[in-house]
Amino acid sequence: MKILAIAAGVVLAVASSAAPAHAADTEYKITLLAKAKADECFNGVGVVYPVGPPCAEGQAKVNQAYVWGLTRVGDDVWFGTGANVHCLTEGATLDISEPKLTDDYVCEYGESQTIKNDPDIPISVGDMRPPEVWLYNAKTKKNVKKSTEINAASEDDKYRLAHTIGLRAAGNFNNVVLLGGPTTDERLNMFAFDAKTKKFLGSHTFDEYGNIRTFLQTDDALYLGVGIGRNGADGGAVVRWEGSKTSPFDFVSVGDLPVQAADLTLHDGRIAATSWPAEGSGNQTAKVAGVWLSPPLADNSDPALTTADAAGWTQIWNAAQYEPDRVTAATYGLGGVASYDGWLYWGTMHVPTKATKVHQKVYPQTTEEAKKLQVKYTQRAISIWRGRNLGTADQEIQLLYGNANLPAYSASTGTWSSKTTNFTPLYGSSGFGNAFNNYTWRMLVVGGKLFVGTMDWSYLADSLIPEGSGNGPDPAGFGGELWVFPSSDAAATAVSTTGLGNYLNYGVRNMIPDGKGGIYLGMANPMNLRTDLTDDIPEGGWELQHLTICP
């Protein structure tokens, strides 16, 4: 459904045609609360940035792209941003370093003034800018930048922020707000604020951690999923916060994993964690992306997990149980996870062309035809899963959206063939039927419904596919998607498949409940050159939105 406007609130009618016996038509109101503004002037790759905005030379550019970390304390919504994240992913994950300039965005890499002014920053993340911390208040409707307080606190705090790639996770507990993200040298920086006074408490660098994804707040504790070592190369952990306002950076490990911990949720009295693969994991199934369960929380005199539980986590599913191609399986990530009506739901993540890149390294091809087949057969869209009675003899795993067969490569014959995944999808094909849905970014249960936010990279892919080839995406489907399961007995239906009012929003990066039956949505939009308010093209940069489920 096309959204004509968003600032004043838009009502979306969603028909639950897949399961009319279980869900009536629902309306959703989407309201734009805050949006990134142009923060730089661009006058050509490698050119010193002119003064502005407003820009007397060049054009306005909006670097801040993602609402990357998001948490709520009462009426206060805290969030941390990430700048030019599309460029960072291509540089750090896909080893791209050649500058790219389109009508929508620019990635300068080694030509960026950031690199020229700070040689400590790697070329792969040359388009990074210091992330920002924002505080939106639901009553006053004001959005205040809090990262200025970090820069003003001390030179050490300012340096940490300037060398943090983005604030990837945010959480709060006992009136302390924490925001953290990976550093330019693959460690972890964290920043703390007092939730009551809103004052900055300090920052810290964790040498032992190399990545961060999600905080989980339960009634009794605050947990965090991290990677161990540089960029999580040495495995992962689930850590529990033991800090306070006077000592906000104290954590203990309560879950030792062979892979980076990603998203977390509480399920059947345990913590469930999705994970990312370790580089070069190959067929070591323990290191392939999977779902892990903690020991029961009730087994402790302390209702939260303790250090005694660190070695007691078990893997209940991994990507190699589905993906028949061994190399491709090792590139899967897992993202959003949620407990819903007795089931644990989760979804996969696929960095576009990463599987192709790894396949080319493991099985280099010499002919153009073989290279094209390698590209064709290594692309994957998200699959959506659920399981119950996990870790028991009655464990049941269901594929909700996916494929019964996928292409797999035989090294002995040098050919591709269709192989069974050992699962039959209950509701539909991968990507909710969209081959460009590549990330299951977030899952959230609100109002008795399960919401799933995805990334859809079709807008980016459109520029990579030769015009007239007939293989390009449908422009009517540009934009990240939000889906909803109205019940555990029904298929998902679409709330929006076009970026919730802005088709340049290529993903729903974050979702948190508003405490009143609605949802705060943090959008991802790295189209940094789309800043012209007078044309008919929407603008780039992050958006904070609110979704109301209409009665």
Side-chain angles (χ1 to χ4, degrees):
M1 177 175 294
K2 185 177 181 180
I3 303 176
L4 301 177
I6 193 166
V10 176
V11 176
L12 304 178
V14 181
S16 303
S17 58
H22 298 282
D25 290 355
T26 304
E27 289 186 338
Y28 298 92
K29 179 182 177 182
I30 308 293
T31 307
L32 179 64
L33 304 179
K35 183 166 179 59
K37 297 179 180 179
D39 55 358
E40 197 170 86
C41 296
F42 173 74
N43 202 26
V45 173
V47 177
V48 174
Y49 308 132
V51 175
C55 304
E57 298 179 75
Q59 65 182 107
K61 181 186 178 193
V62 54
N63 289 294
Q64 301 298 328
Y66 282 25
V67 173
W68 223 356
L70 183 63
T71 190
R72 181 182 63 85
V73 185
D75 290 320
D76 290 327
V77 180
W78 294 79
F79 59 99
T81 69
N84 301 320
V85 183
H86 168 55
C87 303
L88 307 186
T89 301
E90 286 194 344
T93 304
L94 302 178
D95 298 328
I96 294 174
S97 59
E98 184 70 25
K100 181 186 299 184
L101 175 62
T102 74
D103 291 338
D104 296 298
Y105 65 90
V106 59
C107 298
E108 294 187 275
Y109 300 112
E111 295 301 313
S112 168
Q113 298 304 305
T114 299
I115 291 286
K116 295 178 180 180
N117 294 328
D118 191 341
D120 289 341
I121 296 177
I123 289 174
S124 60
V125 293
D127 291 276
M128 69 154 289
R129 303 292 188 271
E132 297 173 349
V133 178
W134 289 87
L135 173 58
Y136 175 84
N137 184 269
K139 286 186 176 179
T140 65
K141 312 298 182 186
K142 290 183 178 180
N143 197 38
V144 179
K145 185 190 288 189
K146 301 295 288 182
S147 41
T148 54
E149 298 173 27
I150 299 175
N151 288 323
S154 74
E155 286 302 313
D156 284 345
D157 294 312
K158 183 177 181 180
Y159 180 88
R160 285 194 182 99
L161 189 65
H163 292 81
T164 301
I165 291 175
L167 294 170
R168 197 172 210 162
N172 74 87
F173 198 72
N174 287 347
N175 290 311
V176 175
V177 176
L178 299 169
L179 303 101
T183 68
T184 54
D185 59 357
E186 299 181 330
R187 295 183 293 169
L188 174 62
N189 280 342
M190 193 170 291
F191 306 85
F193 288 82
D194 186 318
K196 286 188 174 180
T197 66
K198 317 297 191 295
K199 292 183 178 180
F200 177 58
L201 296 175
S203 67
H204 182 75
T205 298
F206 293 88
D207 293 327
E208 65 271 38
Y209 304 147
N211 214 334
I212 185 173
R213 176 77 180 193
T214 304
F215 283 95
L216 170 66
Q217 181 179 346
T218 67
D219 291 339
D220 305 296
L222 181 68
Y223 300 93
L224 173 64
V226 298
I228 302 296
R230 294 295 186 263
N231 196 29
D234 298 328
V238 175
V239 297
R240 175 186 169 185
W241 187 63
E242 288 195 336
S244 64
K245 289 183 181 180
T246 57
S247 183
F249 305 110
D250 295 337
F251 291 87
V252 295
S253 179
V254 296
D256 297 334
L257 305 178
V259 282
Q260 299 183 57
D263 280 20
L264 308 174
T265 196
L266 186 64
H267 177 71
D268 283 349
R270 302 170 185 258
I271 303 296
T274 55
S275 65
W276 291 339
E279 290 294 331
S281 60
N283 61 357
Q284 302 175 57
T285 56
K287 294 187 176 182
V288 174
V291 180
W292 294 78
L293 278 185
S294 76
L297 275 65
D299 282 359
N300 302 301
S301 56
D302 184 335
L305 294 178
T306 70
T307 55
D309 297 304
W313 291 63
T314 57
Q315 186 189 85
I316 57 92
W317 181 89
N318 67 69
Q321 295 172 12
Y322 167 70
E323 172 59 57
D325 186 86
R326 179 183 65 84
V327 175
T328 302
T331 67
Y332 275 53
L334 295 187
V337 61
S339 181
Y340 181 53
D341 197 22
W343 294 87
L344 183 71
Y345 286 69
W346 67 89
T348 62
M349 300 184 70
H350 309 272
V351 177
T353 74
K354 180 180 180 180
T356 302
K357 174 178 174 288
V358 176
H359 239 283
Q360 288 170 344
K361 182 178 180 180
V362 177
Y363 300 120
Q365 302 299 317
T366 57
T367 68
E368 286 303 311
E369 181 181 1
K371 291 177 182 178
K372 289 180 180 179
L373 290 176
Q374 196 172 50
V375 172
K376 178 180 179 180
Y377 290 136
T378 53
Q379 307 312 307
R380 300 289 186 266
I382 60 173
S383 52
I384 305 295
W385 299 81
R386 70 179 180 185
R388 61 183 173 185
N389 303 318
L390 301 177
T392 74
D394 297 322
Q395 175 170 299
E396 180 182 3
I397 304 291
Q398 292 183 349
L399 173 64
L400 303 183
Y401 289 88
N403 293 83
N405 295 280
L406 286 170
Y409 183 74
S410 170
S412 60
T413 64
T415 60
W416 293 87
S417 62
S418 179
K419 298 290 187 181
T420 180
T421 64
N422 299 311
F423 290 90
T424 300
L426 185 62
Y427 295 133
S429 60
S430 296
F432 293 111
N434 175 7
F436 296 95
N437 258 335
N438 62 300
Y439 287 173
T440 310
W441 246 337
R442 190 66 77 212
M443 292 184 174
L444 181 68
V445 177
V446 170
K449 305 173 188 290
L450 171 62
F451 292 85
V452 181
T454 77
M455 174 184 170
D456 173 352
W457 74 293
S458 59
Y459 189 81
L460 296 174
D462 188 54
S463 63
L464 304 176
I465 298 173
E467 189 173 349
S469 66
N471 297 319
D474 181 358
F478 288 159
E481 301 187 0
L482 180 62
W483 289 77
V484 60
F485 288 92
S487 79
S488 61
D489 296 324
T493 56
V495 176
S496 173
T497 58
T498 54
L500 290 104
N502 181 344
Y503 61 81
L504 298 186
N505 290 336
Y506 69 14
V508 182
R509 178 60 184 86
N510 259 305
M511 294 190 291
I512 60 171
D514 69 357
K516 302 173 184 178
I519 301 174
Y520 290 111
L521 304 163
M523 307 301 290
N525 181 339
M527 309 306 167
N528 54 30
L529 296 183
R530 289 299 184 188
T531 58
D532 188 346
L533 299 177
T534 65
D535 63 18
D536 59 356
I537 299 173
E539 281 64 60
W542 59 257
E543 294 182 357
L544 179 66
Q545 299 185 1
H546 181 266
L547 179 144
T548 303
I549 305 173
C550 302

